[in-house]
């Protein structure tokens, strides 16, 4: 297995048509022979156009697909307007996120545009929970259910276009990409791109993951089928009332409370220290940065290293429900624990090339999943750790296009 640690290196106008508001299919889509129309027709009558957005040389269309499930899922398609795509890149967001918040923020300089510029038709698959209310998230929304939705979209687009394709995921979406690849025998699946996730841990961390699995299973047993990580509300309050007092005590002086802005920065930078059954998986946090406590909450000093807070806030504002199904979290924890009786990714069935890139301060240097794929006879596996980057920095960092994105596309750039 090619395993590397690399050094870290030191946005055209947009017009939107009806974005965020459902509207019928319309002539807003370009070119009756273009890929957007092929995808729209392939999705069929269950798909409803939810908006079209035009930029300089590109167009994005969003569809919601009601296929008989309690809640629809969303499909975003981004393509060049002046050239036909050579491949398809399916982008799978992390837990509690959607395509817009994970891959299309900021608007003009993001990972979706990076893949588009490489000649790919970008297809973002947003899970159903993003469009759901808490009471609509049921007990059957685990990793397998998410994989089936990805399969529906991939099969539909593949039947319409017949192009080589790549599965690209971040965080929980990266685990979903790996799981989907394990069930995909198509010769057109060329590559799985994994951004900051983990397979099975070893030693004490595997034991800790098993405890996390049990915590989520207990929640499911008691009828708690969804989790709200709170990121959307946290970021919104930091924007609306940055200096206002939060409800959370400061560790250095529990008699005082973080400001909303201070709490948001602390949660992004020191995610791994926060309470909650799964925050420990971050070596430091969602975002690289520094937080120094002052004598009072107003005197706390904090700064993000790579990702501007305004971009984090824009990502949060783009989210739907922000919810994560508890069963999905339980299945992920079972994968971390190596508990094949609860959920198992079939590592030995992943035959496509795997490009696995982790962040030092995010999910860290834990290559066991990549090693299992390699050990099963797939030699086309690389594992890279980017130093100094947090979990969300490969998406939102101002230098991510130099430090991280080239590592995600080493074979097809």
């Amino acid at each position: 297995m090619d395993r590397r640690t690399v050094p870290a290196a030191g946005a055209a106008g947009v017009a939107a048509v009806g974005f965020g508001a459902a509207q019928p299919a319309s002539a807003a889509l370009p070119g009756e022979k273009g890929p957007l129309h092929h995808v729209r027709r392939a999705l069929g009558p269950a798909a409803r156009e939810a908006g079209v957005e035009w930029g300089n040389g590109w167009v994005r269309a969003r569809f919601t697909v009601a296929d008989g499930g309690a809640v629809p899922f969303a499909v975003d398609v981004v393509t060049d307007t002046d050239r036909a795509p050579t491949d398809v890149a399916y982008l799978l967001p992390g837990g509690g996120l959607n395509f817009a918040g994970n891959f299309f923020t900021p608007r003009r300089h993001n990972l979706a545009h990076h893949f588009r510029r490489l000649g790919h038709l970008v297809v973002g698959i947003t899970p159903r929970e993003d469009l759901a209310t808490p009471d609509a998230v049921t007990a059957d929304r685990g990793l397998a259910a998410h994989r089936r939705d990805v399969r529906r979209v991939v099969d539909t687009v593949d039947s319409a276009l017949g192009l080589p394709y790549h599965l690209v995921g971040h965080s929980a979406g990266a685990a979903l990409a790996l799981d989907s690849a394990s069930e995909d025998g198509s010769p057109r699946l060329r590559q799985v791109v994994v951004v900051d996730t983990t397979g099975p841990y070893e030693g004490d961390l595997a034991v800790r993951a098993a405890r996390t699995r049990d915590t989520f299973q207990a929640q499911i047993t008691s009828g708690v089928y969804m989790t709200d990580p709170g990121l959307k509300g946290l970021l919104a309050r930091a924007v609306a009332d940055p200096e206002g007092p939060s409800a959370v005590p400061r560790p250095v002086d529990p008699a005082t409370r973080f400001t909303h802005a201070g709490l948001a920065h602390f949660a992004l930078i020191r995610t791994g220290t926060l309470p909650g059954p799964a925050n420990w998986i971050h070596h430091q946090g969602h975002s690289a940065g520094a937080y120094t406590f002052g004598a009072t909450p107003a005197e706390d000093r904090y700064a993000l290293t790579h990702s501007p807070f305004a971009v984090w806030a824009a990502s949060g504002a783009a989210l739907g429900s922000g919810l994560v199904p508890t069963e999905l979290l339980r299945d992920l924890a079972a994968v971390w624990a190596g508990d094949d009786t609860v959920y198992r990714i079939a590592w030995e069935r992943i035959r496509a090339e795997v490009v696995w890139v982790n962040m030092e301060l995010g999910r860290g240097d834990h290559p066991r999943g990549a090693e299992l794929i390699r050990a099963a006879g797939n030699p086309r596996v690389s594992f890279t750790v980017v130093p100094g980057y947090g979990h969300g920095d490969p998406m939102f960092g101002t230098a991510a296009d130099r430090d991280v994105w080239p590592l995600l596309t080493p074979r097809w750039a």
Side-chain angles (χ1 to χ4, degrees), residues 1 12 29 31 50 62-63 85 87 138-139 144 150 157 174 217 263 277 288 299 303 306 371 390 396 413:
M1 181 177 64
L29 293 180
R62 187 173 195 254
F63 307 98
D87 299 72
T138 55
V150 170
V157 175
Q217 181 57 58
L263 179 60
E299 294 174 279
H306 300 293
E371 291 170 350
F396 308 139

Side-chain angles (χ1 to χ4, degrees), residues 6 9 19 53 64 68 84 92 112 114 137 162 187 194 204 207-208 222 284 293 302 320 327 360 371:
V6 300
F19 234 93
E53 181 176 356
T64 55
L92 311 180
H114 170 72
V137 179
V194 177
D204 291 343
V207 174
R208 191 168 188 178
S222 67
Q284 179 174 301
F293 288 105
Y302 39 81
E327 186 170 331
E360 178 190 25
E371 291 170 350

Side-chain angles (χ1 to χ4, degrees), residues 2 32-33 37 46 72 81 85 91 95 113 123 147 149 152 190 242 256 266 293 324 340 343 363-364 371 382:
D2 174 20
E32 287 294 332
K33 295 182 180 180
H37 275 281
T81 55
L91 271 55
H113 282 318
V123 178
R147 187 186 69 230
D149 286 343
R152 288 184 182 95
R190 300 293 173 81
T256 62
F266 188 85
F293 288 105
V324 186
D340 294 348
Y343 201 92
R363 303 295 282 272
E371 291 170 350
S382 64

Side-chain angles (χ1 to χ4, degrees), residues 109-175:
H109 185 70
N110 53 57
L111 197 58
H113 282 318
H114 170 72
F115 287 114
R116 174 188 62 81
R117 293 186 186 101
L118 293 175
H120 304 286
L121 179 73
V122 172
V123 178
I125 306 174
T126 292
R128 299 175 191 267
E129 54 265 21
D130 182 68
L131 299 175
T133 56
D135 59 349
V137 179
T138 55
D140 58 351
R141 290 300 302 159
L143 199 50
H146 287 73
R147 187 186 69 230
R148 288 191 293 270
D149 286 343
V150 170
R151 184 79 261 151
R152 288 184 182 95
V153 177
V154 171
D155 286 348
T156 296
V157 175
D158 190 48
S159 68
L161 301 180
L163 292 172
Y165 60 90
H166 315 263
L167 300 173
V168 183
H170 177 227
S171 190

Side-chain angles (χ1 to χ4, degrees), residues 12-330:
V14 176
V17 179
F19 234 93
Q23 62 182 44
S26 71
L29 293 180
E32 287 294 332
K33 295 182 180 180
L36 284 180
H37 275 281
H38 288 308
V39 172
R40 174 66 180 87
R41 284 195 293 269
L43 290 173
R48 187 177 186 185
E49 187 181 316
V52 178
E53 181 176 356
W54 296 81
N56 184 13
W58 58 269
V59 62
R60 169 194 172 201
R62 187 173 195 254
F63 307 98
T64 55
V65 183
D67 62 346
V71 178
F73 60 89
V75 177
D76 287 82
V77 185
V78 183
T79 188
D80 272 344
T81 55
D82 57 359
R83 62 173 175 168
T86 58
D87 299 72
V88 181
Y90 295 95
L91 271 55
L92 311 180
L97 303 178
N98 58 20
F99 169 79
N102 206 152
F103 298 112
F104 211 71
T105 301
R107 294 301 247 207
R108 298 167 184 84
H109 185 70
N110 53 57
L111 197 58
H113 282 318
H114 170 72
F115 287 114
R116 174 188 62 81
R117 293 186 186 101
L118 293 175
H120 304 286
L121 179 73
V122 172
V123 178
I125 306 174
T126 292
R128 299 175 191 267
E129 54 265 21
D130 182 68
L131 299 175
T133 56
D135 59 349
V137 179
T138 55
D140 58 351
R141 290 300 302 159
L143 199 50
H146 287 73
R147 187 186 69 230
R148 288 191 293 270
D149 286 343
V150 170
R151 184 79 261 151
R152 288 184 182 95
V153 177
V154 171
D155 286 348
T156 296
V157 175
D158 190 48
S159 68
L161 301 180
L163 292 172
Y165 60 90
H166 315 263
L167 300 173
V168 183
H170 177 227
S171 190
L176 177 58
L178 290 162
D179 197 27
S180 298
S182 75
E183 300 291 327
D184 190 332
S186 172
R188 285 190 288 276
L189 173 58
R190 300 293 173 81
Q191 195 171 57
V192 187
V193 180
V194 177
V195 186
D196 211 40
T197 202
T198 44
Y201 287 107
E202 298 179 287
D204 291 343
L205 290 179
V207 174
R208 191 168 188 178
R211 292 198 296 266
T212 299
R213 172 208 59 203
D214 293 344
T215 297
F216 288 128
Q217 181 57 58
Q219 292 178 12
I220 295 168
T221 302
S222 67
V224 178
Y225 302 139
M226 67 83 190
T227 296
D228 184 355
L231 182 63
K232 180 179 179 179
L234 184 76
L235 295 170
R237 289 187 293 273
V239 172
D241 184 18
E243 302 307 318
S246 74
V248 179
R250 296 160 73 235
V252 295
D253 182 4
T256 62
R257 300 292 184 264
F258 282 103
T259 66
H260 290 305
L263 179 60
H265 281 80
F266 188 85
L268 290 174
I269 296 166
R270 300 193 187 177
T271 317
T273 68
L274 300 178
N279 284 321
W280 62 270
I281 63 176
H282 299 94
H283 277 236
Q284 179 174 301
H286 285 298
S287 196
Y291 197 107
T292 303
F293 288 105
T296 67
E299 294 174 279
D300 287 359
R301 294 294 175 261
Y302 39 81
L304 304 182
T305 305
H306 300 293
S307 302
F309 185 77
V311 177
W312 276 102
S315 172
L319 302 182
S321 71
L323 301 175
V324 186
T326 312
E327 186 170 331
L328 175 62
L329 293 169
R330 189 275 317 274

